[in-house]
C-alpha cells in the first residue's frame, strides 16, 4: 500500500517537474505576453481551482481557446499536484523563473487580473514558510545576470506585502509550525533551525527593503503589523484551546508560540521593542484587568494559572529565548506601564503574568530584576516600586503585610546588596545623579518594608547605612545631602517608628519624594498638570475669599465709624452716668485736661499752629556703643563672651575699613585673624546667623581690597593653619574670590593727564592692550565694551566717544551756550580699571603653595576636597581677573602646573574636576594670544606644554567622565582652546602686518564711534 | 499731622572738657552759663555762640553740680554749686566772673542734688505790687506782641521786669534764699543768700499725725524746687523729690510737717520743674515716666495731670519754658524730648547728643533752649518760637 502511494507520489512529482520544465521552456521561447500567460495558466490550473473564464477577456483570440480548452483536474488530483509542487524542488525552480525572468521581462505587460490569477497565485496560495524562504532572498538580488533589478525588487516587495501582510502570512507561518509541531517533537533540531531561519528572514525584511519600498515595509509599521498578527493569533488559539483544555500540554511550548518568541526576540534585537510592547501591553493589561474585576479573592495567582487563556501569556516570555531580547522587553514593558499610569496592582500582576515562571526558573532573569534593574538601570520611581514588589517582596501590593509569605531571606539579601552599593564612597563620587537618586529610592523603599527584627537579622546593613549617610552629608551637592537625610529618616523610622529623625528642616512632610526632582519627562508633565490643578483650586478658593473680604473691610470701617461716634456720645454722657465709680485722680485729670483743652482752644489762634509735633519716630541705633577705632573693633571681636559687642563690631567693621584710616595697615593682620576666628553662628541671635556671617565676609572683603598685601599675608597663613576648620577655610577662599572680583571692577577717578604734552613720548601711558589714543582732540578714553553673558570674551571691543565734527552739530530745541563736548567733565577724569593684576601674585602664589601637604587637620586632596575645589575655583577667578594683563601670563604656567598634577586633575570627586576645568578655561581665556605666540617662538616649553595638557585632558574628560557637568565643561574648554589656538596662529602668522593694521587702521575712520581692533575680532 | 523731621541744633557750643552738668540762661542778657564736672564755669554769648569767659569756680576733682541765676537774686549774680560741699555766689562783671566769690556757703553736703533758687510766680508778683504796676504788667502780658515789638522794646521790658523784681526783692526778703539738699541727705536746707546762714531745715523724719503721709524713710533728697506761691504771703514753699520716687511739698512756716506727699514715680525723682504760675509742674525720674502734675495751694495737694511713658528710663533734667507752652526733658538716652505743656502730648524727639543729657534750660525770652550733655557739648535749639 505504501509502495503504491509512494509510486503514485513519485509519478506525480515527475509529472510536476515535467510540467514545470514545459512551462519554463514556453516562457523562455515566448514572443508575446499572452504566450507566457498561457503557459503559466496551464500550470496554475493544475494546482489551484481556477476560473479560466476570468482570463478570457484579456488575452488575444488565438490563446483564448487554448486557455478555455484546458480541463481542470479533480480536487484530489489537484491536492496531490499541489503537494508535489510545493514539497519538491518544482516550486523553487518555478519561483526563480517567475521572480527573475518573468518579473523583469513580461510582468509589466501582464493585465491586472492575469497577474493576480496566474502569477501571484503561486505565492499567495503556497505554504507561507516555504514562500517566504524563496521570496525574501530575491529582495536583495544583485542583478548580475542582466535582468532589470528594479523591476525584480519592486515586484518582490509587492509580493511580500501581499503574502505576509495582506494575507496574514506570518500568522499562517506560525500556524504551520504549530501543526508541524504536533507531529514531530518540538525539540527537534531540524525544526528549530527552520523556525529560527524563517523568523530571521521575516524579521530581516525591513532591512532588505529598498528606500522606495512601500511604507508598510518600513520597520515600524511592518513589525507592528506582524506583532498584531501574531498576538491576535495567539489569543485566538488560547480561546480555542480553552475549550479543549485537556489536550494542552502545560509544560510544553508549541511551535507557533516558539515562532512568536523567535520573531519577538528578533524584533527586540532590531531595536523595535517599543513597537512590540505598545501592542503587547494593552492586551496583557486587558487580560489582567478582566481578572481583577471578576475575581475578588486574594489567590489570584491560582486563578491565573488555572485559566487556559492566561497560558499564552504565562509562556510567552519563556518562548523568548534570547536573554538580550528578554531584557529589552522587560525594560520596555516597565516604561510602557509607567506611561500608561497603571495602578500598582495591575502592574504587579502584569509582571507576574509575564515573568513569574521564568523568574522562578531562570537565573538570568532573576539577576536581571534583582541586580540590573535595581542597581544599573534607572527607571521612574513607580517602576522601581513594581520591580521591588515583584522581585523582592514577591507579593502583590495590596497583600496583607502581616501575612508575610515572601521569604525574608531573599529580601534581606537584596537589601544588603543594595545598601552595600549605596554606601560606597566611590558610588557617591562617580555615579551619575539619576543613578544615585534611583538607588537611594530603592534603598528607601526597601527600608519602608523593613522592621526592627529584619534589621537585627542582617549583619552590616546598619553600619553601611550610617556610613553612606555620613559620606553623603559631606557632599557639596545639595541633592546628595537630601538623599542622605531621606534615608536617615527612613532608617530612624525602622529603628523607632515613633521617633523619626529629621536631619533637614525641609523634609518634614511624611511622604518623601524619591524622585528628588530628577523626574522623567512624562512624569514631569504629569506633575505640572496636577500642579496647575492645585493652582486652579487655590485661585478658586482665593476667589471665593476675595469677595468675602471686600465687604468685611467695609463693614469694619463702618463699624469703626459707628464705634467712634458711639464713643463720642458715650464721653458726652459720661459725666451724667450715676453708677460710675469715680476715681478722684482720673476725675481730676479729666477735668484738668478739659480745662486745658478749653485753654488751648482759647489761645489756639496763637499757639496751636506753632506746636505742631515733629516726627516722633525714634530708634535706638545711636544708643549702642559704636566703635570708631579699628583697635576697638579687634578688641570687641576677641571678647567672644560679649555677643552684643561682637555683633556691633561686625556692623561697623566694614565701614571703618573702607574709610581706610592710616592705622589700617598695622591693624589689618590682626583684624583679619580675629574676623576669621569669630564664631558667628554661636554669637548671633537665632535666625540672624546669615546676616552676621555676611557682615563678617564683607568686612574681610573690604580689608582685602583696601589693604591687600597685609591682609593676604595673614589669610594665606590661616588658610593652611591647623587651627581653623573647613568652613573657615571655605570662607577664606570665598572672601578672596570676592575681593579679587571687586579689585577687578574697582574704578578710581584721577584727573586726566594732559596728553598733549610738549614732549611726546613714544610709549603711551595707557595699557598696551588698548588701542592707541591717536584721534581728534576731545576724544574720550577707550572703554572696553563688555559682551554680556559669555564667560570668556574673545572679541575685545573698545569704544570711545568722539567730539562731534563742526558739520555734525545738531541744533536741538534746548539752547546751549557753548560748543563744548557734553562729556567734557568726563574727559577730564580718567577711569582706571582693574587694580587686581598688581596683587595677582600675592593672591595666587601662597595659596598654590601648600595645597598638597597633608598636615594635622589639613587634607585638601582627601577629606577636604571641597576646600580644594574652592581653592581652584578661586585661582581660576584670579587668573580671569588678571585677564590679558602681563601678570596673567606670568601666573598661568604655575597655575597649569598645579592643575595638571595627578591628584588634582584626576581627583575622585567631580566637584574638584569641575573646578579644574573652570580654572583651565579661565587660563585659556586670560592669556593674550600675542603672549602665547611669543612664548611659542621663544620656545617657552612650560606654557606650551601646559596648554597642550589642557587640550588632551579636556578631551579625556569629554570622552570618559561620568559626571555630566564635567564633560559639558570639558567641551566648552576644548572650544576655548580651539579659539585660542586660532588667535595664536593668527598672531604668529603676521605679527608685522597686525601691528601695521593696528596703527594705521585706527585713524582711518575716526568718524565712527566704535572702532574694533581688527586682529582681535573673532567671528564666533 | 505733619511728618517733619525734628530740627537740628541752631548751634553747638564746644569748649568744655568734661561732662556739662548744668546750663542756665541769664535772665536779661544774651548769655548762657554752663558748669562742668571739672569745675569750669563758662559764660557763652548766645548770639555769637562764643565763649565769653571761663573760670574754675570749683575744684576739678569735685566739679560743678549746678549753675543758677535768677532775677530774684539780682541779674549780676550767679550761684554755683559744687560737689565740694559749697555753694558760691559770684558777680558777673564785664567780661567774666568776679575773681572771688562774693559769698560762699558751706553746706557740707556731698551729693548730686541740684540747688534751687526761689521761683516767683507772676501772679504773686502782681499781688505784691501796686495797682499801677499791675495794669502795666497785665497789658504787657496779654499783648505779647508789644514785648517783642523790637529788640529794644524787649530789652526795656526786661529791664522793667527786672527792676520790679529788684523791688520785690527789697520788699520781700524771703526771696533771696537758696534751697539745697542738706548735710543730712534726706533733709532740705534753705540758706539765706545775704547772710550765708541756714534759714530752715525741712526734715521728713519728724513725726506727723497725718495718716496719709508715710513716715518711712524716703531716702536721699534728689531734686528740689523752691517757689513762692501766690497765697503764701511771701513764705517759701519747697517741692522735693526723694530717692524712693515720692515727692513732698513743704511750707517753710511748718518745717515739721510737709503739706502733702505723693508718689508718682517708682525710682528716684531726678528733676523737678514748676511752671510760671506755680500751679503745676513736671517731674522726671530714673524710671520710664514723665509726670505732669497740678499743685493746689488752697488744699495743699498735688494731683497728677498727665503721665507719659517712655521707651527708655532716666530723665535727668526737666524745664518748662517761661511762657508755659512747652516743656523739655533731658534724658539718659541722649534725647531731648519736647512736650506740649498744656496737653502733655509729645512734640519732638531731639537727637543730637551722643551721650547722656544732663540738663535743659529755656531762655527768658522763650526763643532759645539749651541742652547740656556728658559729651561735653551744649546744643542751642530754636523750637516753636513765640509768635510775634
Amino acid at each position: 500500500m505504501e509502495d503504491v502511494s509512494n509510486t503514485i507520489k513519485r509519478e506525480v512529482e515527475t509529472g510536476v517537474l515535467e510540467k514545470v520544465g514545459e512551462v519554463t521552456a514556453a516562457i523562455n521561447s515566448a514572443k508575446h505576453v499572452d504566450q507566457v500567460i498561457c503557459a503559466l495558466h496551464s500550470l496554475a490550473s493544475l494546482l489551484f481551482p481556477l476560473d479560466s473564464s476570468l482570463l478570457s477577456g484579456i488575452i488575444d483570440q488565438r490563446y483564448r481557446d487554448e486557455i478555455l480548452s484546458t480541463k481542470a483536474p479533480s480536487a484530489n488530483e489537484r491536492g496531490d499536484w499541489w503537494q508535489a509542487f510545493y514539497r519538491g524542488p518544482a516550486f523553487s525552480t518555478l519561483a526563480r523563473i517567475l521572480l527573475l525572468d518573468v518579473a523583469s521581462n513580461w510582468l509589466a505587460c501582464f493585465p491586472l487580473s492575469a497577474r493576480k490569477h496566474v502569477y501571484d497565485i503561486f505565492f499567495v496560495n503556497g505554504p507561507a514558510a516555504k514562500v517566504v524562504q524563496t521570496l525574501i532572498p530575491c529582495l536583495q538580488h544583485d542583478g548580475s545576470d542582466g535582468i532589470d533589478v528594479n523591476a525584480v525588487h519592486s515586484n518582490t516587495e509587492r509580493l511580500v506585502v501581499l503574502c505576509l501582510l495582506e494575507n496574514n502570512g506570518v500568522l499562517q507561518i506560525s500556524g504551520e509550525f504549530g501543526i508541524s509541531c504536533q507531529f514531530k517533537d518540538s525539540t527537534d533540531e531540524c525544526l528549530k533551525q527552520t523556525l529560527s531561519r524563517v523568523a530571521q528572514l521575516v524579521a530581516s525584511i525591513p532591512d532588505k527593503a529598498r528606500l522606495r519600498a512601500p511604507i508598510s515595509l518600513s520597520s515600524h509599521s511592518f513589525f507592528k503589523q506582524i506583532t498584531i498578527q501574531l498576538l491576535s493569533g495567539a489569543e485566538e488559539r488560547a480561546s480555542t484551546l480553552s475549550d479543549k483544555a485537556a489536550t494542552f500540554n502545560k509544560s510544553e511550548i508549541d511551535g507557533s508560540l516558539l515562532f512568536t518568541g523567535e520573531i519577538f526576540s528578533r524584533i527586540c534585537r532590531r531595536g523595535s521593542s517599543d513597537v512590540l510592547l505598545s501592542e503587547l501591553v494593552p492586551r496583557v493589561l486587558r487580560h489582567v484587568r478582566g481578572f481583577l474585576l471578576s475575581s475578588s479573592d486574594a489567590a489570584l495567582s491560582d486563578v491565573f494559572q488555572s485559566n487556559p487563556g492566561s497560558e499564552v501569556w504565562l509562556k510567552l516570555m519563556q518562548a523568548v529565548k534570547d536573554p538580550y531580547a528578554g531584557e529589552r522587553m522587560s525594560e520596555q514593558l516597565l516604561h510602557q506601564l509607567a506611561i500608561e499610569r497603571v495602578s500598582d496592582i495591575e502592574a504587579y500582576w502584569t509582571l507576574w503574568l509575564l515573568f513569574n515562571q521564568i523568574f522562578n526558573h531562570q537565573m538570568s532573569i532573576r539577576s536581571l530584576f534583582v541586580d540590573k534593574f535595581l542597581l544599573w538601570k534607572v527607571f521612574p520611581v513607580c517602576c522601581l516600586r513594581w520591580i521591588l514588589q515583584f522581585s523582592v517582596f514577591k507579593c502583590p501590593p495590596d497583600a496583607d503585610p502581616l501575612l508575610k509569605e515572601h521569604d525574608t531571606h531573599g529580601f534581606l539579601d537584596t537589601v544588603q546588596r543594595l545598601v552595600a552599593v549605596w554606601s560606597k564612597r566611590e558610588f557617591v563620587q562617580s555615579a551619575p545623579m539619576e543613578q544615585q537618586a534611583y538607588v537611594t529610592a530603592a534603598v528607601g523603599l526597601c527600608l519602608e518594608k523593613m522592621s526592627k527584627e529584619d534589621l537585627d537579622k542582617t549583619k552590616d546593613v546598619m553600619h553601611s547605612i550610617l556610613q553612606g549617610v555620613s559620606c553623603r552629608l559631606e557632599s557639596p551637592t545639595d541633592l546628595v545631602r537630601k538623599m542622605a537625610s531621606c534615608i536617615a529618616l527612613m532608617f530612624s523610622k525602622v529603628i523607632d517608628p515613633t521617633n523619626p529623625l529629621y536631619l533637614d528642616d525641609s523634609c518634614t512632610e511624611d511622604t518623601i519624594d524619591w524622585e528628588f526632582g530628577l523626574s522623567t519627562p512624562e512624569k514631569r508633565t504629569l506633575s505640572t498638570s496636577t500642579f496647575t490643578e492645585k493652582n486652579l483650586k487655590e485661585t478658586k478658593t482665593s476667589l471665593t475669599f476675595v469677595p468675602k473680604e471686600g465687604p468685611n473691610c467695609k463693614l469694619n470701617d463702618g463699624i469703626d465709624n459707628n464705634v467712634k461716634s458711639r464713643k463720642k456720645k458715650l464721653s458726652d454722657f459720661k459725666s451724667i452716668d450715676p453708677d460710675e465709680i469715680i476715681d478722684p485722680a482720673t476725675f481730676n485729670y479729666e477735668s484738668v485736661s478739659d480745662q486745658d483743652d478749653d485753654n488751648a482752644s482759647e489761645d489756639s489762634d496763637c499757639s496751636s499752629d506753632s506746636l505742631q509735633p515733629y516726627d516722633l519716630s525714634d530708634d535706638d541705633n545711636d544708643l549702642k556703643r559704636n566703635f570708631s577705632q579699628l583697635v576697638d573693633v579687634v578688641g570687641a571681636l576677641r571678647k567672644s563672651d560679649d555677643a552684643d559687642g561682637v555683633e556691633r563690631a561686625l556692623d561697623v567693621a566694614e565701614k571703618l575699613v573702607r574709610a581706610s584710616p592710616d592705622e589700617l595697615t598695622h591693624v589689618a593682620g590682626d583684624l583679619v585673624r580675629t574676623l576669621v576666628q569669630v564664631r558667628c553662628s554661636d554669637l548671633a541671635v537665632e535666625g540672624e546667623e546669615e546676616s552676621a556671617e555676611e557682615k563678617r565676609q564683607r568686612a574681610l572683603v573690604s580689608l582685602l581690597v583696601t589693604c591687600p598685601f597685609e591682609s593676604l599675608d595673614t589669610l594665606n597663613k590661616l588658610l593652611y593653619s591647623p587651627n581653623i576648620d573647613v568652613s573657615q577655610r571655605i570662607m577664606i577662599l570665598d572672601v578672596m574670590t570676592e575681593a579679587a572680583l571687586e579689585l577687578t571692577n574697582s574704578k578710581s577717578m584721577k584727573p586726566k593727564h594732559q596728553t598733549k604734552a610738549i614732549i611726546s613720548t613714544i610709549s603711551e601711558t595707557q595699557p598696551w592692550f588698548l588701542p592707541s589714543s591717536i584721534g581728534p582732540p576731545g576724544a574720550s578714553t577707550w572703554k572696553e565694551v563688555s559682551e554680556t553673558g559669555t564667560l570668556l570674551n574673545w572679541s575685545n571691543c573698545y569704544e570711545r566717544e568722539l567730539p562731534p565734527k563742526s558739520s555734525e552739530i545738531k541744533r536741538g530745541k534746548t539752547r546751549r551756550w557753548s560748543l563744548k563736548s557734553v562729556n567734557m567733565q568726563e574727559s577730564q577724569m580718567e577711569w582706571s580699571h582693574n587694580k587686581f593684576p598688581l596683587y595677582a601674585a600675592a593672591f595666587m602664589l601662597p595659596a598654590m603653595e601648600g595645597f598638597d601637604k597633608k598636615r594635622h587637620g589639613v587634607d585638601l586632596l582627601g577629606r577636604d576636597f571641597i576646600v580644594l575645589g574652592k581653592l581652584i575655583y578661586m585661582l581660576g577667578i584670579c587668573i580671569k581677573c588678571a585677564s590679558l594683563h602681563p601678570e596673567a601670563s606670568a601666573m598661568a604656567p604655575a597655575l597649569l602646573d598645579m592643575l595638571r598634577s595627578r591628584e588634582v586633575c584626576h581627583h575622585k570627586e567631580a566637584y574638584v574636576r569641575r573646578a579644574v576645568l573652570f580654572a583651565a578655561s579661565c587660563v585659556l581665556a586670560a592669556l593674550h594670544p600675542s603672549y602665547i605666540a611669543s612664548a611659542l617662538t621663544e620656545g617657552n616649553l612650560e606654557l606650551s606644554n601646559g596648554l597642550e595638557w589642557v587640550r588632551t585632558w579636556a578631551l579625556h574628560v569629554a570622552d570618559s567622565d561620568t559626571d555630566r557637568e564635567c564633560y559639558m565643561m570639558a567641551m566648552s574648554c576644548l572650544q576655548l582652546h580651539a579659539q585660542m589656538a586660532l588667535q595664536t596662529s593668527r598672531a604668529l602668522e603676521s605679527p608685522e602686518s597686525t601691528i601695521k593694521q593696528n596703527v594705521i587702521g585706527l585713524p582711518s575712520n575716526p568718524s565712527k564711534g566704535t572702532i574694533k581692533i581688527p586682529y582681535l575680532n573673532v567671528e564666533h | 499731622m505733619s511728618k517733619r523731621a525734628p530740627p537740628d541744633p541752631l548751634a553747638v557750643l564746644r569748649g568744655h572738657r568734661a561732662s556739662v552738668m548744668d546750663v542756665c540762661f541769664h535772665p536779661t542778657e544774651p548769655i548762657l552759663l554752663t558748669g562742668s564736672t571739672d569745675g569750669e564755669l563758662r559764660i557763652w554769648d548766645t548770639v555769637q555762640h562764643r565763649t565769653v569767659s571761663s573760670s574754675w569756680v570749683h575744684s576739678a576733682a569735685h566739679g560743678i553740680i549746678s549753675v543758677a541765676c535768677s532775677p530774684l537774686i539780682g541779674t549780676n549774680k550767679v550761684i554755683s554749686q559744687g560737689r565740694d560741699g559749697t555753694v558760691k555766689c559770684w558777680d558777673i562783671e564785664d567780661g567774666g566772673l568776679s575773681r572771688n566769690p562774693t559769698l560762699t556757703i558751706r553746706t557740707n553736703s556731698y551729693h548730686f542734688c541740684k540747688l534751687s533758687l526761689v521761683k516767683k510766680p507772676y501772679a504773686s508778683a502782681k499781688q505784691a505790687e501796686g495797682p499801677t504796676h499791675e495794669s502795666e504788667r497785665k497789658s504787657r502780658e496779654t499783648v505779647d506782641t508789644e514785648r517783642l515789638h523790637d529788640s529794644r522794646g524787649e530789652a526795656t521790658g526786661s529791664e522793667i521786669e527786672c527792676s520790679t523784681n529788684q523791688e520785690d526783692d527789697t520788699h520781700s526778703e524771703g526771696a533771696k534764699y537758696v534751697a539745697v539738699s542738706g548735710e543730712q541727705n534726706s533733709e532740705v536746707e534753705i540758706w539765706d543768700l545775704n547772710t550765708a546762714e541756714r534759714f530752715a531745715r525741712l526734715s521728713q523724719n519728724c513725726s506727723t499725725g497725718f495718716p496719709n503721709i508715710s513716715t518711712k524713710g524716703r531716702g536721699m533728697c534728689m531734686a528740689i524746687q523752691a517757689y513762692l506761691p501766690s497765697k503764701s504771703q511771701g513764705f517759701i514753699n519747697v517741692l522735693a523729690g526723694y530717692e524712693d520716687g515720692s515727692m513732698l511739698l513743704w511750707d517753710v512756716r511748718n518745717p515739721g510737717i510737709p503739706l502733702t506727699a505723693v508718689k508718682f514715680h517708682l525710682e528716684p525723682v531726678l528733676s523737678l520743674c514748676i511752671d510760671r504760675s506755680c500751679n503745676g509742674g513736671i517731674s522726671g525720674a530714673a524710671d520710664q515716666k514723665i509726670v505732669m502734675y497740678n499743685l493746689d495751694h488752697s488744699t495743699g495737694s498735688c494731683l497728677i495731670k498727665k503721665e507719659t511713658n517712655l521707651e527708655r528710663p532716666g530723665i535727668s533734667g526737666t524745664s518748662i519754658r517761661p511762657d508755659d507752652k512747652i516743656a523739655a526733658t533731658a534724658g539718659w538716652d541722649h534725647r531731648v524730648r519736647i512736650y506740649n505743656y498744656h496737653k502733655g502730648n509729645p512734640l519732638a524727639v531731639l537727637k543730637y547728643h551722643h551721650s547722656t543729657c544732663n540738663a535743659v534750660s529755656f531762655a527768658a525770652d522763650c526763643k532759645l533752649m539749651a541742652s547740656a550733655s556728658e559729651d561735653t557739648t551744649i546744643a542751642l535749639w530754636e523750637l516753636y518760637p513765640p509768635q510775634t
Side-chain angles (χ1 to χ4, degrees), chain A residues 635-659:
Chain A
L637 288 175
R638 286 205 178 124
K639 283 180 201 150
S640 53
D641 50 338
D642 176 18
D644 205 34
V646 173
E647 206 185 327
R648 275 181 291 125
L650 283 177
D651 281 342
V652 293
E654 193 196 355
K655 233 201 273 179
L656 284 180
V657 171
R658 295 268 183 207

Side-chain angles (χ1 to χ4, degrees), chain A residues 332-343:
Chain A
Q332 197 61 42
L333 173 74
L334 286 165
H335 282 299
Q336 293 273 355
L337 287 176
I339 292 169
E340 299 258 334
R341 289 184 215 149
V342 299
S343 70

